[in-house]
Amino acid sequence: MELLIKNGRVWDGTDLRESDILVSDGLIKAVGTGLDVPPGCRTLDAAGAAVLPGLVDVHVHLREPGYSYKETIADGTRAAAHGGFTTVCTMPNLNPAPDTPDHMRCQLDIIGRDACIEVLPYATITRMRMGDEPVDYAALAPVAAGFSDDGTGVQDDAVMRRAMEGIAPTGAVLAAHCEVDSLLRGGYIHDGEYARAHGHRGICSESEWREVARDIELARVTGCRLHICHVSTAESVELVRRAKADGLPVTCETGAHYLAFCDADLQEDGRFKMNPPLRSASDRAALLRGVADGTIDCIASDHAPHSAEEKSRGLEKSAMGVTGIELSLPAVYTYAVMPGHITFARMIELMAVAPRRIFGIGGGLEPGDRADLTVVDFNSKFMVSRAMFLSRGKSTPFEGLELHGVVRATVAGGKIAYEENAQKQ
Protein backbone atom coordinates (compact mmCIF):
# COMPACT_ATOMS: atom_id res chain seq x y z
CA MET A 1 0.00 0.00 0.00
CA GLU A 2 1.21 3.51 -0.87
CA LEU A 3 0.01 6.45 1.18
CA LEU A 4 0.67 10.17 1.00
CA ILE A 5 0.18 12.20 4.18
CA LYS A 6 0.01 15.77 2.93
CA ASN A 7 -0.30 19.32 4.27
CA GLY A 8 0.73 18.38 7.80
CA ARG A 9 3.31 19.87 10.13
CA VAL A 10 5.83 17.07 10.59
CA TRP A 11 7.95 16.70 13.72
CA ASP A 12 11.62 16.85 12.73
CA GLY A 13 13.06 16.17 16.17
CA THR A 14 13.09 19.77 17.31
CA ASP A 15 10.08 21.47 15.73
CA LEU A 16 7.00 21.05 13.52
CA ARG A 17 7.60 21.90 9.87
CA GLU A 18 5.22 21.85 6.91
CA SER A 19 5.96 18.74 4.91
CA ASP A 20 4.49 15.67 3.24
CA ILE A 21 5.29 12.03 3.95
CA LEU A 22 5.18 9.26 1.36
CA VAL A 23 4.69 5.74 2.69
CA SER A 24 5.33 2.60 0.66
CA ASP A 25 5.35 -1.07 1.68
CA GLY A 26 5.03 -0.20 5.36
CA LEU A 27 8.03 2.14 5.40
CA ILE A 28 8.57 5.86 5.12
CA LYS A 29 9.83 6.40 1.59
CA ALA A 30 10.28 10.17 1.54
CA VAL A 31 9.69 13.28 3.64
CA GLY A 32 9.51 16.75 2.12
CA THR A 33 7.59 18.96 -0.28
CA GLY A 34 6.98 18.41 -3.97
CA LEU A 35 7.31 14.64 -3.61
CA ASP A 36 7.01 12.41 -6.66
CA VAL A 37 3.72 10.67 -5.91
CA PRO A 38 2.92 7.44 -7.76
CA PRO A 39 -0.46 7.13 -9.51
CA GLY A 40 -3.21 5.57 -7.42
CA CYS A 41 -1.56 6.54 -4.15
CA ARG A 42 -4.03 7.02 -1.32
CA THR A 43 -4.00 10.48 0.23
CA LEU A 44 -4.53 11.46 3.87
CA ASP A 45 -4.98 15.20 4.33
CA ALA A 46 -3.34 16.38 7.57
CA ALA A 47 -4.06 20.08 7.09
CA GLY A 48 -3.95 21.91 10.43
CA ALA A 49 -2.54 18.89 12.27
CA ALA A 50 0.80 17.76 13.61
CA VAL A 51 2.35 14.55 12.30
CA LEU A 52 4.25 12.80 15.09
CA PRO A 53 6.16 9.56 15.43
CA GLY A 54 3.66 6.88 16.43
CA LEU A 55 3.01 6.89 20.16
CA VAL A 56 4.09 3.94 22.32
CA ASP A 57 2.38 2.85 25.55
CA VAL A 58 4.50 0.39 27.53
CA HIS A 59 1.82 -0.42 30.13
CA VAL A 60 -1.66 -1.53 29.06
CA HIS A 61 -4.08 -4.28 30.07
CA LEU A 62 -5.90 -5.77 27.09
CA ARG A 63 -7.43 -8.57 29.21
CA GLU A 64 -7.27 -11.31 26.60
CA PRO A 65 -6.96 -14.27 26.98
CA GLY A 66 -9.03 -14.87 30.09
CA TYR A 67 -11.05 -11.71 30.72
CA SER A 68 -12.55 -10.72 27.39
CA TYR A 69 -15.70 -9.38 29.07
CA LYS A 70 -13.51 -6.47 30.22
CA GLU A 71 -11.62 -5.94 26.93
CA THR A 72 -10.42 -7.81 23.85
CA ILE A 73 -7.32 -7.46 21.73
CA ALA A 74 -9.52 -6.24 18.89
CA ASP A 75 -11.31 -3.55 20.92
CA GLY A 76 -8.23 -2.61 22.93
CA THR A 77 -6.05 -2.03 19.89
CA ARG A 78 -8.80 -0.05 18.16
CA ALA A 79 -8.94 2.10 21.29
CA ALA A 80 -5.15 2.45 21.27
CA ALA A 81 -5.19 3.58 17.63
CA HIS A 82 -7.95 6.06 18.54
CA GLY A 83 -5.55 7.44 21.13
CA GLY A 84 -2.71 7.75 18.60
CA PHE A 85 -0.74 4.68 19.69
CA THR A 86 0.98 2.43 17.16
CA THR A 87 2.63 0.08 19.68
CA VAL A 88 1.48 -1.12 23.09
CA CYS A 89 3.07 -3.49 25.61
CA THR A 90 0.50 -5.68 27.35
CA MET A 91 0.65 -6.76 30.96
CA PRO A 92 0.52 -10.45 31.92
CA ASN A 93 -2.34 -10.65 34.44
CA LEU A 94 -4.18 -13.01 32.09
CA ASN A 95 -5.47 -16.57 32.04
CA PRO A 96 -3.33 -18.37 31.19
CA ALA A 97 -0.59 -16.08 32.38
CA PRO A 98 2.25 -15.89 29.82
CA ASP A 99 4.72 -17.78 32.00
CA THR A 100 5.79 -20.40 29.41
CA PRO A 101 6.28 -20.20 25.63
CA ASP A 102 3.09 -22.25 25.13
CA HIS A 103 1.05 -19.92 27.33
CA MET A 104 2.56 -16.91 25.57
CA ARG A 105 1.50 -18.44 22.26
CA CYS A 106 -2.16 -18.28 23.39
CA GLN A 107 -1.88 -14.51 23.52
CA LEU A 108 0.30 -14.14 20.41
CA ASP A 109 -2.22 -16.09 18.33
CA ILE A 110 -5.01 -13.66 19.28
CA ILE A 111 -2.73 -10.69 18.62
CA GLY A 112 -1.84 -12.03 15.19
CA ARG A 113 -5.50 -12.50 14.35
CA ASP A 114 -7.14 -9.39 15.85
CA ALA A 115 -4.70 -6.55 16.55
CA CYS A 116 -4.73 -3.46 14.32
CA ILE A 117 -1.48 -2.09 15.76
CA GLU A 118 1.72 -3.65 17.11
CA VAL A 119 1.20 -5.47 20.42
CA LEU A 120 4.22 -6.63 22.43
CA PRO A 121 3.29 -8.78 25.44
CA TYR A 122 5.21 -9.01 28.70
CA ALA A 123 6.05 -12.41 30.11
CA THR A 124 5.70 -12.97 33.83
CA ILE A 125 8.54 -12.73 36.33
CA THR A 126 7.27 -15.70 38.33
CA ARG A 127 5.12 -18.71 37.54
CA MET A 128 1.44 -17.67 37.42
CA ARG A 129 2.51 -14.33 38.95
CA MET A 130 2.52 -16.03 42.35
CA GLY A 131 5.79 -14.42 43.42
CA ASP A 132 7.77 -17.55 44.20
CA GLU A 133 8.93 -19.71 41.26
CA PRO A 134 10.97 -18.01 38.49
CA VAL A 135 10.09 -18.70 34.87
CA ASP A 136 12.46 -19.69 32.04
CA TYR A 137 13.75 -16.22 31.17
CA ALA A 138 16.00 -17.32 28.31
CA ALA A 139 13.13 -19.13 26.60
CA LEU A 140 10.66 -16.25 26.96
CA ALA A 141 12.93 -13.26 26.30
CA PRO A 142 12.89 -13.57 22.47
CA VAL A 143 9.08 -13.26 22.32
CA ALA A 144 8.46 -10.86 25.21
CA ALA A 145 8.49 -7.08 25.54
CA GLY A 146 10.07 -7.66 28.95
CA PHE A 147 9.15 -9.33 32.23
CA SER A 148 6.57 -8.18 34.77
CA ASP A 149 4.23 -9.50 37.44
CA ASP A 150 2.21 -6.29 37.20
CA GLY A 151 -0.76 -6.16 39.51
CA THR A 152 1.35 -7.54 42.33
CA GLY A 153 4.83 -6.83 43.58
CA VAL A 154 7.33 -9.65 44.09
CA GLN A 155 7.43 -9.73 47.89
CA ASP A 156 10.37 -12.05 48.54
CA ASP A 157 13.75 -10.33 48.21
CA ALA A 158 15.53 -13.57 47.31
CA VAL A 159 13.03 -14.37 44.55
CA MET A 160 13.41 -10.89 43.06
CA ARG A 161 17.19 -11.10 43.16
CA ARG A 162 17.11 -14.50 41.47
CA ALA A 163 14.77 -13.08 38.83
CA MET A 164 17.06 -10.15 38.12
CA GLU A 165 20.06 -12.47 37.90
CA GLY A 166 18.16 -14.59 35.38
CA ILE A 167 16.86 -11.68 33.30
CA ALA A 168 20.09 -9.64 33.22
CA PRO A 169 21.94 -11.91 30.73
CA THR A 170 19.02 -11.71 28.28
CA GLY A 171 19.24 -7.91 28.12
CA ALA A 172 15.48 -7.69 28.67
CA VAL A 173 13.74 -5.17 30.89
CA LEU A 174 12.18 -6.13 34.21
CA ALA A 175 9.11 -3.90 34.66
CA ALA A 176 8.40 -3.86 38.38
CA HIS A 177 5.09 -3.25 40.08
CA CYS A 178 6.42 -1.93 43.39
CA GLU A 179 4.10 -2.59 46.30
CA VAL A 180 4.74 -4.00 49.76
CA ASP A 181 1.68 -6.07 50.62
CA SER A 182 2.21 -5.90 54.38
CA LEU A 183 1.92 -2.09 54.28
CA LEU A 184 -1.41 -1.99 52.44
CA ARG A 185 -3.55 -2.70 55.54
CA GLY A 186 -6.76 -2.96 53.56
CA GLY A 187 -6.35 0.45 51.94
CA TYR A 188 -7.86 1.38 48.61
CA ILE A 189 -7.20 5.13 48.16
CA HIS A 190 -4.25 7.31 49.19
CA ASP A 191 -3.66 7.64 52.92
CA GLY A 192 -4.20 11.39 52.95
CA GLU A 193 -6.63 14.11 53.89
CA TYR A 194 -9.53 12.83 51.78
CA ALA A 195 -9.30 9.33 53.25
CA ARG A 196 -9.28 10.65 56.79
CA ALA A 197 -12.09 13.16 56.18
CA HIS A 198 -14.37 10.58 54.58
CA GLY A 199 -13.64 7.50 56.67
CA HIS A 200 -11.76 5.54 54.00
CA ARG A 201 -8.83 3.18 54.55
CA GLY A 202 -5.67 4.60 53.00
CA ILE A 203 -2.69 3.17 51.13
CA CYS A 204 0.49 4.71 52.50
CA SER A 205 3.18 6.05 50.16
CA GLU A 206 5.77 3.79 51.79
CA SER A 207 4.05 0.74 50.32
CA GLU A 208 5.34 1.93 46.94
CA TRP A 209 8.67 3.60 47.62
CA ARG A 210 9.94 0.92 50.00
CA GLU A 211 9.88 -1.65 47.20
CA VAL A 212 11.22 0.88 44.67
CA ALA A 213 14.24 1.28 46.95
CA ARG A 214 14.71 -2.48 47.24
CA ASP A 215 14.49 -3.09 43.51
CA ILE A 216 16.93 -0.30 42.73
CA GLU A 217 19.47 -1.86 45.10
CA LEU A 218 18.95 -5.26 43.47
CA ALA A 219 19.50 -3.69 40.05
CA ARG A 220 22.73 -2.20 41.40
CA VAL A 221 23.92 -5.66 42.46
CA THR A 222 22.72 -7.67 39.45
CA GLY A 223 23.03 -5.19 36.56
CA CYS A 224 19.48 -6.01 35.48
CA ARG A 225 17.65 -3.35 33.47
CA LEU A 226 14.89 -2.16 35.82
CA HIS A 227 11.83 -0.21 34.70
CA ILE A 228 9.57 0.92 37.54
CA CYS A 229 5.88 0.96 36.69
CA HIS A 230 3.33 3.70 37.47
CA VAL A 231 5.41 5.85 39.84
CA SER A 232 3.07 7.91 42.03
CA THR A 233 5.01 9.25 45.05
CA ALA A 234 7.57 11.98 45.56
CA GLU A 235 9.85 9.53 47.38
CA SER A 236 9.85 7.17 44.39
CA VAL A 237 10.80 10.01 42.05
CA GLU A 238 13.72 10.96 44.27
CA LEU A 239 14.92 7.36 44.52
CA VAL A 240 14.94 7.05 40.72
CA ARG A 241 16.71 10.39 40.42
CA ARG A 242 19.50 9.18 42.70
CA ALA A 243 19.73 5.85 40.90
CA LYS A 244 20.22 7.63 37.59
CA ALA A 245 22.85 9.89 39.13
CA ASP A 246 24.67 6.71 40.17
CA GLY A 247 24.56 5.44 36.59
CA LEU A 248 22.26 2.50 37.32
CA PRO A 249 20.17 0.90 34.52
CA VAL A 250 16.92 2.26 35.96
CA THR A 251 13.99 3.87 34.12
CA CYS A 252 10.41 4.58 35.14
CA GLU A 253 6.98 5.70 34.00
CA THR A 254 3.99 7.56 35.36
CA GLY A 255 0.45 8.03 34.08
CA ALA A 256 -1.42 11.06 32.80
CA HIS A 257 -3.97 10.82 35.61
CA TYR A 258 -1.23 11.23 38.22
CA LEU A 259 -0.16 14.48 36.52
CA ALA A 260 -3.72 15.81 36.30
CA PHE A 261 -5.27 14.84 39.64
CA CYS A 262 -4.47 14.43 43.32
CA ASP A 263 -6.44 13.06 46.25
CA ALA A 264 -8.13 16.43 46.75
CA ASP A 265 -9.94 15.73 43.46
CA LEU A 266 -11.42 12.43 44.61
CA GLN A 267 -15.14 11.78 44.41
CA GLU A 268 -17.20 8.93 45.80
CA ASP A 269 -17.07 7.18 42.44
CA GLY A 270 -15.21 4.12 41.16
CA ARG A 271 -13.82 6.10 38.24
CA PHE A 272 -11.35 7.67 40.68
CA LYS A 273 -10.03 4.32 41.91
CA MET A 274 -6.78 2.91 40.56
CA ASN A 275 -3.59 1.32 41.86
CA PRO A 276 -1.42 3.09 42.80
CA PRO A 277 -3.99 5.64 43.96
CA LEU A 278 -4.12 9.35 43.25
CA ARG A 279 -1.67 10.78 45.77
CA SER A 280 -1.26 14.20 47.40
CA ALA A 281 -0.81 17.56 45.69
CA SER A 282 2.87 17.54 46.70
CA ASP A 283 3.30 14.12 45.09
CA ARG A 284 1.72 15.41 41.90
CA ALA A 285 4.09 18.39 41.91
CA ALA A 286 7.06 16.02 42.30
CA LEU A 287 5.84 13.94 39.36
CA LEU A 288 5.54 17.03 37.18
CA ARG A 289 9.09 18.00 38.09
CA GLY A 290 10.19 14.46 37.33
CA VAL A 291 8.72 14.40 33.83
CA ALA A 292 10.24 17.83 33.18
CA ASP A 293 13.80 17.06 34.29
CA GLY A 294 14.07 13.58 32.76
CA THR A 295 13.84 11.56 35.95
CA ILE A 296 10.60 10.03 34.67
CA ASP A 297 11.22 8.51 31.24
CA CYS A 298 7.77 7.60 29.91
CA ILE A 299 4.09 8.36 30.16
CA ALA A 300 2.15 5.08 30.22
CA SER A 301 -1.62 4.89 30.54
CA ASP A 302 -1.92 1.74 32.69
CA HIS A 303 -5.10 1.29 30.64
CA ALA A 304 -7.14 -1.07 32.83
CA PRO A 305 -10.68 -1.59 31.55
CA HIS A 306 -13.36 -3.21 33.71
CA SER A 307 -17.05 -3.87 33.24
CA ALA A 308 -19.52 -1.12 34.15
CA GLU A 309 -20.74 -3.20 37.09
CA GLU A 310 -17.22 -3.66 38.48
CA LYS A 311 -16.70 0.12 38.47
CA SER A 312 -20.11 1.03 39.92
CA ARG A 313 -19.45 0.10 43.55
CA GLY A 314 -17.94 3.36 44.83
CA LEU A 315 -14.42 4.02 46.05
CA GLU A 316 -14.29 1.17 48.53
CA LYS A 317 -15.63 -1.73 46.51
CA SER A 318 -15.03 -0.89 42.84
CA ALA A 319 -12.29 -2.72 40.94
CA MET A 320 -8.92 -1.01 40.76
CA GLY A 321 -8.13 0.54 37.38
CA VAL A 322 -9.42 3.05 34.83
CA THR A 323 -9.47 3.28 31.07
CA GLY A 324 -6.80 5.60 29.76
CA ILE A 325 -5.24 4.89 26.40
CA GLU A 326 -7.69 7.02 24.39
CA LEU A 327 -7.06 10.07 26.60
CA SER A 328 -3.38 9.83 27.47
CA LEU A 329 -2.04 12.19 24.79
CA PRO A 330 -4.64 14.97 25.11
CA ALA A 331 -4.49 14.71 28.92
CA VAL A 332 -0.71 15.19 28.95
CA TYR A 333 -0.98 18.04 26.47
CA THR A 334 -3.75 19.74 28.45
CA TYR A 335 -2.39 19.25 31.96
CA ALA A 336 1.38 19.27 31.41
CA VAL A 337 2.22 21.08 28.15
CA MET A 338 -0.38 23.86 28.10
CA PRO A 339 0.34 25.03 31.69
CA GLY A 340 4.07 25.05 30.89
CA HIS A 341 5.20 22.18 33.12
CA ILE A 342 6.89 20.47 30.13
CA THR A 343 7.64 21.42 26.54
CA PHE A 344 5.95 19.98 23.47
CA ALA A 345 9.25 18.29 22.60
CA ARG A 346 9.41 16.69 26.04
CA MET A 347 5.92 15.28 25.58
CA ILE A 348 7.00 13.56 22.36
CA GLU A 349 10.10 12.21 24.11
CA LEU A 350 7.97 10.79 26.93
CA MET A 351 5.30 9.25 24.71
CA ALA A 352 7.10 8.19 21.53
CA VAL A 353 10.88 8.42 21.60
CA ALA A 354 11.96 7.17 25.05
CA PRO A 355 9.64 4.14 25.13
CA ARG A 356 11.10 3.00 21.80
CA ARG A 357 14.64 3.48 23.05
CA ILE A 358 14.13 1.68 26.36
CA PHE A 359 12.26 -1.30 24.93
CA GLY A 360 14.05 -1.55 21.57
CA ILE A 361 10.99 -0.75 19.45
CA GLY A 362 11.45 0.40 15.85
CA GLY A 363 9.95 3.45 14.19
CA GLY A 364 10.64 7.11 13.52
CA LEU A 365 10.10 9.80 10.92
CA GLU A 366 13.10 9.27 8.67
CA PRO A 367 13.10 7.57 5.26
CA GLY A 368 13.49 3.84 5.80
CA ASP A 369 11.80 3.88 9.22
CA ARG A 370 8.73 1.78 9.79
CA ALA A 371 5.71 3.94 9.00
CA ASP A 372 4.22 4.41 12.46
CA LEU A 373 2.64 7.87 12.53
CA THR A 374 0.16 9.84 14.62
CA VAL A 375 -1.76 12.78 13.15
CA VAL A 376 -3.10 15.13 15.86
CA ASP A 377 -4.93 18.45 15.77
CA PHE A 378 -3.85 20.27 18.92
CA ASN A 379 -6.02 23.27 18.04
CA SER A 380 -9.16 21.20 18.56
CA LYS A 381 -10.69 20.24 21.88
CA PHE A 382 -13.39 17.87 23.06
CA MET A 383 -15.47 17.00 26.10
CA VAL A 384 -14.75 13.55 27.55
CA SER A 385 -17.80 11.31 27.54
CA ARG A 386 -18.32 7.59 27.80
CA ALA A 387 -19.86 7.55 24.32
CA MET A 388 -16.53 8.46 22.70
CA PHE A 389 -14.60 5.39 23.85
CA LEU A 390 -13.82 2.48 21.56
CA SER A 391 -12.55 0.52 24.57
CA ARG A 392 -15.02 -1.65 26.44
CA GLY A 393 -13.91 0.15 29.60
CA LYS A 394 -15.65 3.51 30.06
CA SER A 395 -14.52 4.52 33.55
CA THR A 396 -12.21 7.56 33.76
CA PRO A 397 -11.62 10.46 36.17
CA PHE A 398 -11.48 12.74 33.09
CA GLU A 399 -15.20 12.25 32.37
CA GLY A 400 -16.94 15.58 31.79
CA LEU A 401 -13.68 17.51 31.41
CA GLU A 402 -12.40 19.34 28.33
CA LEU A 403 -9.16 18.14 26.74
CA HIS A 404 -7.13 19.60 23.89
CA GLY A 405 -5.74 17.48 21.06
CA VAL A 406 -7.86 15.39 18.71
CA VAL A 407 -6.29 12.40 16.96
CA ARG A 408 -7.20 12.65 13.28
CA ALA A 409 -5.48 9.47 12.12
CA THR A 410 -3.09 6.74 13.23
CA VAL A 411 -0.90 4.86 10.75
CA ALA A 412 0.65 1.61 12.01
CA GLY A 413 3.11 -0.25 9.81
CA GLY A 414 1.99 1.80 6.81
CA LYS A 415 -1.70 0.94 7.28
CA ILE A 416 -4.37 3.30 8.55
CA ALA A 417 -5.40 1.88 11.93
CA TYR A 418 -7.68 4.78 12.82
CA GLU A 419 -9.11 7.67 10.82
CA GLU A 420 -11.49 10.14 12.40
CA ASN A 421 -13.71 10.70 9.36
CA ALA A 422 -14.05 6.98 8.71
CA GLN A 423 -15.02 6.41 12.34
CA LYS A 424 -17.80 8.98 12.14
CA GLN A 425 -19.37 7.42 9.05
Side-chain angles (χ1 to χ4, degrees):
M1 172 181 163
E2 292 178 310
L3 173 68
L4 177 68
I5 303 172
K6 68 175 186 178
N7 301 325
R9 293 174 297 126
V10 178
W11 181 251
D12 67 0
T14 57
D15 203 356
L16 294 168
R17 304 185 187 280
E18 291 187 9
S19 191
D20 299 335
I21 298 179
L22 181 61
V23 173
S24 181
D25 296 326
L27 303 176
I28 295 176
K29 186 175 183 179
V31 180
T33 57
L35 299 179
D36 186 14
V37 181
C41 179
R42 180 172 178 179
T43 298
L44 195 161
D45 191 352
V51 183
L52 310 178
L55 306 183
V56 177
D57 193 330
V58 299
H59 191 141
V60 304
H61 299 266
L62 296 189
R63 305 301 194 196
E64 199 174 26
Y67 307 96
S68 57
Y69 74 95
K70 298 175 186 278
E71 189 80 291
T72 64
I73 295 292
D75 288 336
T77 57
R78 286 176 61 241
H82 181 208
F85 291 88
T86 58
T87 299
V88 296
C89 301
T90 56
M91 288 300 175
N93 48 345
L94 303 168
N95 186 19
D99 55 6
T100 68
D102 284 345
H103 287 168
M104 176 69 83
R105 176 53 54 191
C106 295
Q107 187 180 5
L108 291 172
D109 286 346
I110 302 171
I111 291 167
R113 184 189 70 207
D114 294 343
C116 68
I117 62 168
E118 182 178 47
V119 179
L120 305 175
Y122 286 95
T124 62
I125 297 172
T126 62
R127 191 79 66 185
M128 297 178 65
R129 297 175 48 252
M130 295 298 291
D132 45 21
E133 182 183 354
V135 301
D136 188 338
Y137 303 115
L140 284 162
V143 294
F147 293 89
S148 184
D149 273 3
D150 186 62
T152 54
V154 177
Q155 302 301 300
D156 190 290
D157 296 358
V159 171
M160 192 57 147
R161 175 165 182 163
R162 183 180 170 191
M164 287 195 181
E165 290 172 341
I167 293 169
T170 73
V173 173
L174 187 155
H177 175 114
C178 292
E179 187 172 48
V180 180
D181 289 353
S182 63
L183 295 176
L184 297 179
R185 304 186 183 100
Y188 45 87
I189 63 171
H190 176 60
D191 186 17
E193 292 183 9
Y194 187 94
R196 289 187 286 273
H198 294 81
H200 290 295
R201 292 188 298 277
I203 300 174
C204 67
S205 296
E206 187 179 0
S207 65
E208 174 181 297
W209 65 255
R210 180 69 65 186
E211 198 156 286
V212 170
R214 181 204 69 178
D215 288 352
I216 287 173
E217 289 311 304
L218 290 175
R220 187 190 304 274
V221 172
T222 63
C224 183
R225 297 177 63 207
L226 172 65
H227 180 79
I228 299 168
C229 296
H230 41 50
V231 166
S232 71
T233 72
E235 294 91 344
S236 297
V237 175
E238 184 57 30
L239 285 164
V240 173
R241 185 176 285 118
R242 293 174 186 171
K244 290 189 171 191
D246 289 345
L248 299 181
V250 175
T251 56
C252 73
E253 68 191 44
T254 195
H257 43 279
Y258 300 118
L259 303 180
F261 304 108
C262 66
D263 68 338
D265 300 305
L266 287 172
Q267 299 177 26
E268 295 296 311
D269 192 313
R271 64 192 178 91
F272 288 87
K273 187 178 182 182
M274 71 285 293
N275 190 28
L278 298 174
R279 301 287 187 182
S280 69
S282 60
D283 288 311
R284 179 177 59 181
L287 293 170
L288 286 165
R289 289 192 296 271
V291 295
D293 68 16
T295 300
I296 297 173
D297 302 270
C298 309
I299 302 293
S301 68
D302 195 5
H303 175 73
H306 294 286
S307 71
E309 193 280 328
E310 288 170 324
K311 293 299 292 181
S312 67
R313 307 168 188 163
L315 278 178
E316 180 179 358
K317 296 182 179 180
S318 288
M320 290 280 197
V322 293
T323 189
I325 202 163
E326 294 173 81
L327 301 177
S328 191
L329 175 64
V332 172
Y333 183 75
T334 302
Y335 284 91
V337 177
M338 290 179 65
H341 297 299
I342 63 173
T343 64
F344 187 84
R346 180 71 185 135
M347 178 182 73
I348 296 173
E349 173 75 14
L350 288 158
M351 302 190 73
V353 179
R356 294 181 186 279
R357 181 174 63 247
I358 294 166
F359 287 84
I361 300 167
L365 290 181
E366 297 293 331
D369 286 338
R370 188 175 67 192
D372 290 347
L373 310 165
T374 304
V375 181
V376 191
D377 182 357
F378 289 103
N379 295 314
S380 294
K381 56 190 177 182
F382 63 97
M383 193 74 70
V384 178
S385 70
R386 292 174 177 239
M388 62 166 282
F389 290 115
L390 300 185
S391 170
R392 294 192 179 192
K394 314 295 183 185
S395 182
T396 173
F398 290 101
E399 184 177 351
L401 299 179
E402 187 176 78
L403 299 179
H404 294 253
V406 174
V407 174
R408 300 300 187 199
T410 301
V411 178
K415 298 180 180 179
I416 297 176
Y418 171 80
E419 188 173 9
E420 182 188 37
N421 292 335
Q423 187 64 35
K424 289 179 178 179
Q425 293 175 355

